[in-house]
Every structure is written in structure tokens, then in C-alpha cells.
């Protein structure tokens, strides 16, 4: 179990917190989705949880032990994939994995098999510097799996991938979860989060604004939403409203009766709309 | 151990693909050319042309008696004039008259140092007295000091310099290039999220740069041996490995304080130049202030000189070796701390 309590992080020490008061718990074998717009602080939280960033305030515990008290053995059992592909450009895909495997003591995966799993078998002998962005992304993902980790940290593993390849990666993530791996997944993509995650946390400006299973979140906001376009002084505004909530119902009838509503669409509620509702901003 | 070997393999591949191995080999070939084609001696004094137009050529005979090089004597006036015209640095001496009343003219261009002119005057003086059959009774004798040690030809005198400074540059500069590449690619971040640790990381870099230095040093020494040197291989390469280890450790620790090569450049160049300062003591042994002796490459340079040029006759190697060892140990502590507290932390 991973327990994160009241974590703050200030990069420059000037009182501008990139992350403030973040708390959550991830049970073993769950996929925990961390969602939020760019700059929300997602990577910062991952950095703190993996020990790459110093814990300034709050606590991070793995099965009850503080992250600060854990020695090198901690790194034996985690796998980390980074948002910016960080590979040895002068080494081939295969060599990158082979070398990385050599850093671990326990059993490791066969590099060739991993490359095959992420669709890079044909590129195994090419230097990583010659890989496309998506190929690098997949290689970094494969590298995170090399030591058969029991905890996976994945920072936007599917960003920049074509839909088919992204599917492949998502299937692998679910496979890992089913094998007992705990996954901390950072993403912009609400649909991915909806499909993959047992729990999602919405992060906005360094704070968690909602946290629950995707199903519960959608239930709380109603399974359907209404998108209303209004014209005020010639400008078009879009409102997303959830008829299950009283205040939204009131607003909806007001918009319609005042005659400012131009179009009204009823649709299935998505996490994205809930996020916009909560934060007033999209995930762009 | 497996971890360190694995990382050393990675660094060897990178050194090869980054072209570092090729650069080292190219420099080695350059050193071979210097060793093989540099003349054994450089003419240090000004050349001299002498025209003996005196009766009976008494000066020429006396000079031959005194063991002077007959090449200096011009055959006739035309030969003398031709020699004088051919070389602006030449000193000319023309002797006329009879043995009892010789007149000697010395001609020197404005570039010729007065000391050379004075030295020539003195030796002409002695020869002319000899030509007249006068001696002042002074006996002069030359005694060779340290007869076991041979005078090294110029091409071999350079070898210790080629070895020590190249190893220093290699370790110090190339290790920084490695670190900045890993910082820039972000591979260090990935490394920090794995159980690699500081010591194997440092050990791998050491293995590569000490190994490269030894390969380079072995090649240069082999060329020196072909040119007639009889180096103490073990002593020379051992000292080289030690000073290369020192510079690699220092360079690795030093590089952790910079973000990229351009930030590193001037401070790093400063250290490299300081490391090369003992060259001046080597070229001019009378220049050896205490601060130059304190630079580790000073000890390495003179130790390696003894191992390469005067093996067996070298003075006590223990003290300088211990000093280099102490410096290397110090650099190792500095490097270990810098890598653990800076490089592998944010
Ligand atoms: N090294 C750093 N130094 C100073 N500020 C930083 C640093 N890294 C991130 N920040 C700031 O911290 C905040 C959170 O950044 P973070 O990278 O955690 O966001 P993110 O949610 O991962 O965004 P993205 O989706 O774009 O990856 C941002 O405002 C960012 O400007
Ligand atoms: Mg991020």
C-alpha cells in the first residue's frame, strides 16, 4: 500500500508551491490515475514518490515505511517511465534495455521479449537516437518493466502514440495490474483514465479537487450531461451542466427561459466534463 | 561487481561510438610521428663560419688540434661569403695576417645574441693563443656525471610530457563530456530511479579512462622503445594509470558542479592549464617554484621521466609515488561525495 500524506513541494523555495497538501492512498494491485492539465503538478508528485525529488513536507509511505528510510532495495522493486524519453541515444534499443537490466540484482525480463511486446523488435538493433518520439516513448515504457517491478510509475505513457500502439500499451498496463502490480498512472487522457483506473484523482494547480473511482465520479455528477451554447453580446459560450444536480437544473432552465440558449445537446457524461466543471478549465 | 562491469561495458561502447577512442588513437599516432621524426638534437647555438686567410692557415690547424669541427671553416672567400649570405643567424669570423700579427674580424647580424658573440670571442681567443703556441697552464677536463644515465635525444625527452599531460586531458575533459551527455539525455534521472549506486558508476568511468590511458601510454612507450629508449614499463605505466585515475576522479567530481560543457569550459580549462604548468619546469629545470612542485602532475612527470629515460638510475620513487597516491585518494573522496550528493541528487 502506498500512502501519500499532505505533500507540498516548492521548487524555488520562494513559497510558490507546485504541489500543496496532496494526500491519497493506493491499495496494492490498483491502478491509480493522476489527472490534470499541464503544469498541475503531476510529474512533481511522481518525482517525490520515486525519490527523484526530495520530500520537503508531508510523508510518503510504502507498506508503512517512510520513503526516506528506504535504502537502495526500494529501487529494485519499482519501475519508472518518464514523460521525456531519457535514453542513451548512442546505444541501440536492445543495448539500452540490456544495460539497464544489469543494474538490478533480481531476475529481469528478457530485453528482446520486452521490445517485441511494445512493437520494437524490428528496431532492436537501431540506435535510440534514430527512433521516433513514439518509439522512444515505448522504449522508456519497456525499460520501466525490465526488473519485473511490483510498483509502476508511468508518466503519460501513451502521449504521442498512435491509437493502435496506445491500445497495446494500455493492454500491457492492465496485464501488469492483473499480475499484481500497483500502478501510478499520470495522464491527460480522460478516456484512458476512465478505462484503466480503479481510482482517479483530479489535480488542479497543485491541489487534488476530486478523487474517486471513475464510476462513482460519474454517478455523483449524473450519467448524462447537457451542453448548452449561449450567445451573449455576439460571443458564444459553452456551459456543461449535470441535470442530476439541483443548481445545474436551475441554471439550465434559466438559460432556456431567458432565450440566450442557442443549442442544447444531451450527452453521456465524461470525466473530462466533470473535470471542466470542477476546475473551470480543460485538460489541454 | 556485475553492476560495475555492466556499466563499464556501457561506457566503453559510448567511448567508441562518441569517437573518443578514435581521438585517442589519432593523438597516439601524432605522438609516434613526433617520436620518429623529431630530430635528435636541436641546434641551440648560432652557426659559425670561419675564414682562415692567415699565412699557413695556423688557426685552422690549431682548431683541429683543439677538436673543433672542421665543417665551420670555409674553403675560401667565396665560400665564406656564400655561407654568410645564406643564414641571417650566422656568426662570421675572418682571420688574416701572420701568426705573430693576426687580425680577427667577427661579423654578427643584429639578431645574434651578444652572449653568442662573447662566447665566440672567448673561444677564438683560446684558439689563437694555441695557434701561437701559448698556453696559460690551465688544465681543463670534462667529467661526465651519472655516467649510467644517457643523454636522451630530443625526440624521447618529449615522451614523459606526451604521456602525463595527455592522460590528464583525457581523464579530466572526456569524463566531463560523458557526464554532460548523460545529464542532457536525462539518462542520469533514469539511473537515479534504479539501484545503480554511486561507486559502480564511478568505477565504470575509471575503468574506461584509465584503460584508454594505458592503451595510449603503451603505444607511445612502444614507439619510444623502437627509438632506443629502454623504459621501465611497469613503473611508467603504473604511474600513468595512477595520474590518469587522479585526473578522472577529479574531473568527474568537478563536472558535477556544472550543467553543461559551456559552463564548465573556462573553469575546466583553468584546471587543465594548471595541470600542465609543470611542463615549464620540465623544459627549464631551473624554474621550479614550490607551487609548481605541489601540482600532482609535477611528481608524475618527473617520475615518468626517470622510468622512461633513466630507468634504474632514478632517485627514490617512493616519496613522489606516495604523494600521487595521496592526491588520488583525496580525489576519490571528493568524487564519491560529489557524485552521491550532487550528481545523483537533484
Ligand atoms: N524543475 C523545476 N523548477 C521549477 N519549477 C518547476 C520545475 N518543474 C516543474 N516546475 C513547476 O511546477 C509546476 C508543476 O509542474 P509538473 O511538471 O509537475 O506539471 P505536470 O502536471 O506534470 O504537467 P505536464 O502535464 O505538462 O507534464 C509547474 O508550474 C512547473 O512550472
Ligand atoms: Mg508532467
Amino acid at each position: 500500500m502506498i500512502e501519500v500524506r499532505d505533500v507540498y513541494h516548492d521548487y524555488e523555495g520562494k513559497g510558490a508551491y507546485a504541489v500543496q497538501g496532496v494526500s491519497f492512498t493506493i491499495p496494492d494491485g490498483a491502478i491509480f490515475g493522476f489527472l490534470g492539465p499541464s503544469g498541475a503538478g503531476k510529474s512533481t508528485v511522481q518525482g517525490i514518490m520515486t525519490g527523484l525529488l526530495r520530500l520537503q513536507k508531508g510523508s510518503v509511505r510504502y507498506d508503512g515505511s517512510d520513503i526516506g528510510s528506504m535504502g537502495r532495495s526500494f529501487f529494485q522493486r519499482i519501475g519508472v517511465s518518464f514523460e521525456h524519453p531519457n535514453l542513451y541515444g548512442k546505444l541501440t534499443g536492445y543495448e539500452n534495455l540490456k544495460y539497464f537490466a544489469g543494474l538490478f540484482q533480481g531476475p529481469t525480463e528478457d530485453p528482446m521479449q520486452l521490445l517485441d511486446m511494445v512493437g520494437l523488435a524490428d528496431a532492436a538493433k537501431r540506435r535510440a537516437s534514430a527512433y521516433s518520439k513514439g518509439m522512444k516513448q515505448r522504449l522508456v515504457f519497456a525499460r520501466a518493466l525490465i526488473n519485473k517491478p511490483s510498483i509502476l510509475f508511468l508518466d503519460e505513457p501513451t502521449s504521442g502514440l498512435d491509437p493502435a500502439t496506445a491500445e497495446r500499451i494500455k493492454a500491457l498496463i492492465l496485464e501488469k495490474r492483473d499480475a499484481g502490480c500497483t500502478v501510478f498512472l499520470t495522464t491527460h487522457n480522460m478516456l484512458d483514465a476512465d478505462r484503466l483506473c480503479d481510482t482517479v484523482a483530479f489535480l488542479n494547480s497543485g491541489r487534488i479537487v476530486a478523487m474517486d473511482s471513475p464510476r462513482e465520479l460519474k454517478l455523483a455528477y449524473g450519467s448524462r450531461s447537457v451542453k448548452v451554447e449561449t450567445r451573449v453580446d455576439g460571443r458564444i459560450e459553452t456551459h456543461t451542466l449535470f441535470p442530476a444536480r439541483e443548481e445545474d437544473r436551475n441554471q439550465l432552465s434559466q438559460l432556456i427561459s431567458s432565450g440566450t440558449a442557442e443549442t442544447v445537446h444531451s450527452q453521456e457524461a465524461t470525466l473530462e466534463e466533470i473535470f471542466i466543471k470542477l476546475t473551470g478549465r480543460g485538460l489541454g | 561487481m556485475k553492476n560495475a562491469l555492466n556499466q563499464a561495458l556501457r561506457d566503453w561502447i559510448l567511448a567508441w561510438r562518441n569517437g573518443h577512442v578514435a581521438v585517442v588513437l589519432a593523438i597516439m599516432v601524432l605522438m609516434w610521428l613526433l617520436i620518429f621524426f623529431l630530430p635528435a638534437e636541436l641546434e641551440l647555438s648560432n652557426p659559425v663560419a670561419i675564414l682562415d686567410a692567415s699565412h699557413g692557415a695556423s688557426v685552422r690547424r690549431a682548431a683541429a688540434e683543439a677538436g673543433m669541427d672542421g665543417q665551420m671553416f670555409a674553403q675560401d672567400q667565396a665560400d665564406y661569403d656564400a655561407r654568410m649570405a645564406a643564414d641571417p643567424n650566422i656568426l662570421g669570423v675572418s682571420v688574416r695576417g701572420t701568426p705573430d700579427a693576426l687580425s680577427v674580424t667577427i661579423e654578427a647580424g643584429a639578431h645574434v645574441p651578444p652572449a653568442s658573440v662573447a662566447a665566440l670571442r672567448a673561444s677564438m681567443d683560446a684558439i689563437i693563443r694555441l695557434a701561437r703556441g701559448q698556453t696559460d697552464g690551465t688544465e681543463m677536463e670534462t667529467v661526465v656525471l651519472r655516467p649510467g644515465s644517457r643523454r636522451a635525444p630530443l625526440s624521447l625527452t618529449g615522451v614523459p610530457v606526451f604521456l602525463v599531460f595527455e592522460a590528464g586531458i583525457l581523464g579530466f575533459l572526456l569524463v566531463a563530456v560523458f557526464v554532460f551527455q548523460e545529464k542532457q539525455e536525462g539518462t542520469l534521472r533514469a539511473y537515479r530511479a534504479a539501484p545503480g549506486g554511486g561507486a559502480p558508476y564511478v568505477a565504470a568511468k575509471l575503468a574506461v579512462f584509465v584503460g584508454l590511458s594505458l592503451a595510449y601510454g603503451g603505444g607511445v612507450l612502444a614507439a619510444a622503445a623502437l627509438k632506443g629508449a629502454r623504459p621501465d614499463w611497469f613503473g611508467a605505466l603504473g604511474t600513468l594509470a595512477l595520474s590518469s585515475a587522479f585526473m578522472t576522479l577529479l574531473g568527474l567530481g568537478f563536472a558535477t558542479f556544472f550543467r553543461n560543457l559551456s559552463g564548465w569550459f573556462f573553469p575546466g580549462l583553468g584546471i587543465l592549464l594548471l595541470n600542465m604548468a609543470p611542463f615549464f619546469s620540465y623544459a627549464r629545470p631551473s624554474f621550479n617554484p614550490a607551487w609548481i612542485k605541489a601540482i600532482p602532475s609535477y611528481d608524475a612527470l618527473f617520475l615518468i621521466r626517470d622510468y622512461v629515460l633513466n630507468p634504474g638510475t632514478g632517485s627514490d620513487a617512493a616519496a613522489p609515488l606516495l604523494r600521487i597516491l595521496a592526491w588520488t585518494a583525496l580525489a576519490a573522496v571528493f568524487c564519491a561525495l560529489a557524485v552521491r550528493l550532487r550528481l545523483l541528487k537533484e
Side-chain angles (χ1 to χ4, degrees):
Chain A
M1 189 167 65
I2 309 172
E3 293 161 285
V4 173
R5 289 286 164 272
D6 219 14
V7 164
Y8 286 75
H9 195 85
D10 178 358
Y11 277 103
E12 265 134 19
K14 289 180 190 154
Y17 288 100
V19 164
Q20 26 192 336
V22 165
S23 303
F24 54 86
T25 302
I26 311 178
D28 285 340
I31 301 181
F32 183 87
F34 218 47
L35 290 104
S38 187
K42 306 182 294 293
S43 298
T44 304
V45 172
Q46 172 169 320
I48 295 167
M49 291 174 74
T50 50
L52 290 179
L53 288 175
R54 199 170 55 82
L55 179 64
Q56 293 175 345
K57 200 171 156 198
S59 72
V60 177
R61 291 209 171 92
Y62 291 87
D63 297 326
S65 335
D66 266 309
I67 187 169
S69 71
M70 283 186 299
R72 232 193 273 172
S73 63
F74 171 61
F75 297 111
Q76 297 280 359
R77 59 194 187 94
I78 67 168
V80 184
S81 110
F82 297 80
E83 60 180 330
H84 306 296
N86 47 3
L87 301 155
Y88 284 102
K90 292 256 163 60
L91 298 185
T92 65
Y94 178 81
E95 286 166 343
N96 265 289
L97 293 188
K98 181 86 184 139
Y99 143 67
F100 208 72
L103 298 177
F104 296 90
Q105 259 146 28
T108 49
E109 303 273 5
D110 173 28
M112 214 47 225
Q113 214 173 323
L114 275 183
L115 286 170
D116 195 33
M117 271 160 58
V118 298
L120 288 175
D122 291 339
K125 290 204 169 77
R126 277 167 62 198
R127 294 194 187 177
S129 56
Y131 280 17
S132 73
K133 187 163 164 280
M135 289 164 84
K136 288 179 183 161
Q137 191 82 29
R138 281 181 278 158
L139 187 55
V140 168
F141 176 78
R143 188 179 62 188
L145 303 181
I146 195 96
N147 55 322
K148 302 177 189 274
S150 56
I151 306 170
L152 259 180
F153 294 90
L154 304 173
D155 199 342
E156 299 181 28
T158 54
S159 81
L161 297 184
D162 65 88
T165 318
E167 268 318 303
R168 207 158 168 170
I169 299 295
K170 281 182 267 182
L172 281 170
I173 295 172
L174 287 173
E175 223 173 85
K176 279 279 143 193
R177 195 267 315 265
D178 294 343
C181 197
T182 308
V183 183
F184 179 85
L185 175 74
T186 288
T187 180
H188 283 151
N189 189 321
M190 289 290 175
L191 291 173
D192 286 0
D194 200 351
R195 211 190 109 202
L196 296 174
C197 301
D198 299 297
T199 306
V200 295
F202 287 160
L203 194 69
N204 189 36
S205 306
R207 291 178 191 276
I208 291 182
V209 292
M211 178 163 55
D212 214 328
S213 69
R215 194 183 121 80
E216 290 298 326
L217 278 173
K218 284 190 285 190
L219 277 181
Y221 287 86
S223 58
R224 300 200 73 76
S225 65
V226 176
K227 196 186 206 175
V228 183
E229 279 181 342
T230 58
R231 188 185 292 272
V232 180
D233 302 332
R235 269 196 7 257
I236 296 203
E237 283 182 6
T238 309
H239 308 263
T240 304
L241 301 167
F242 297 86
R245 294 155 64 90
E246 188 178 349
E247 56 182 279
D248 282 22
R249 272 201 305 276
N250 293 342
Q251 199 185 343
L252 183 62
S253 56
Q254 195 234 326
L255 285 172
I256 291 171
S257 58
S258 67
T260 49
E262 292 220 323
T263 65
V264 180
H265 288 286
S266 168
Q267 59 192 17
E268 184 127 18
T270 63
L271 286 179
E272 173 127 33
E273 284 155 1
I274 297 171
F275 187 87
I276 294 167
K277 179 81 194 161
L278 281 167
T279 63
R281 61 197 274 204
L283 286 162
Chain B
M1 191 62 194
K2 173 199 147 210
N3 177 0
L5 284 176
N6 171 51
Q7 294 195 50
L9 176 65
R10 169 204 67 198
D11 286 341
W12 272 114
I13 297 176
L14 291 176
W16 176 262
R17 294 194 187 151
N18 279 334
H20 294 163
V21 176
V23 167
V24 171
L25 290 182
I27 296 174
M28 189 174 81
V29 168
L30 199 71
M31 295 305 141
W32 283 351
L33 294 180
L34 282 181
I35 290 171
F36 285 124
F37 295 112
L38 219 60
E41 302 268 358
L42 278 186
E43 206 61 65
L44 288 180
S45 50
N46 292 79
V48 175
I50 304 173
L51 174 68
D52 185 2
S54 65
H55 286 291
S58 55
V59 172
R60 189 168 186 165
R61 265 187 290 114
E65 227 172 280
M68 264 174 83
D69 187 0
Q71 297 281 324
M72 282 189 220
F73 283 87
Q75 295 307 316
D76 47 35
Q77 184 72 44
D79 182 20
Y80 176 78
D81 290 342
R83 288 190 194 199
M84 291 302 291
D87 186 345
N89 290 316
I90 203 163
L91 281 168
V93 181
S94 44
V95 186
R96 283 161 225 283
T98 59
D100 296 329
L102 287 174
S103 86
V104 178
T105 317
I106 295 184
E107 298 173 82
H111 298 299
V112 177
S116 296
V117 180
L120 181 66
R121 273 188 82 106
S123 43
M124 285 317 293
D125 226 32
I127 288 170
I128 285 165
R129 260 185 284 137
L130 194 65
R132 283 177 180 156
Q134 302 171 338
T135 44
D136 59 4
T138 312
E139 289 271 344
M140 277 203 218
E141 196 187 349
T142 313
V143 176
V144 179
L145 295 170
R146 284 168 88 183
S149 64
R150 285 166 304 157
R151 227 167 81 72
L154 182 74
S155 49
L156 292 184
T157 340
V159 168
V161 177
F162 302 159
L163 290 178
V164 171
F165 296 133
E166 173 56 24
I169 294 171
L170 237 171
F172 191 81
L173 174 69
L174 291 192
V175 83
V177 170
F178 260 68
V179 168
F180 295 132
Q181 199 173 44
E182 289 184 309
K183 278 192 179 188
Q184 197 210 331
E185 287 184 326
T187 44
L188 268 170
R189 272 180 82 75
Y191 186 80
R192 288 172 49 208
Y201 179 85
V202 175
K205 301 262 182 292
L206 260 186
V208 169
F209 291 110
V210 172
L212 268 180
S213 290
L214 284 178
Y216 166 86
V220 170
L221 272 189
L226 283 178
K227 260 304 244 205
R230 291 284 163 269
D232 175 340
W233 289 76
F234 186 75
L237 290 182
T239 311
L240 184 68
L242 206 56
S243 55
S244 160
F246 167 73
M247 287 302 276
T248 303
L249 290 166
L250 182 71
L252 182 48
F254 189 71
T256 65
F257 289 86
F258 302 91
R259 210 179 278 271
N260 51 37
L261 205 57
S262 56
W264 174 96
F265 191 76
F266 286 108
L269 203 64
I271 290 200
L272 275 179
L273 288 178
L274 203 61
N275 177 63
M276 302 226 296
F279 169 77
F280 294 106
S281 296
Y282 189 79
R284 291 217 173 274
S286 57
F287 175 70
N288 60 352
W291 66 267
I292 280 214
K293 284 187 183 168
I295 298 173
S297 63
Y298 181 94
D299 277 329
L301 186 60
F302 285 93
L303 253 181
I304 289 189
R305 182 192 65 180
D306 279 347
Y307 283 130
V308 173
L309 302 178
N310 314 312
T313 65
S315 39
D316 192 9
L321 262 181
L322 277 178
R323 279 197 295 269
I324 302 178
L325 260 176
W327 274 109
T328 308
L330 217 65
V333 171
F334 164 65
C335 179
L337 286 177
V339 165
R340 274 186 66 179
L341 301 179
R342 292 195 61 92
L343 197 64
L344 301 184
K345 289 266 183 299
E346 192 73 342

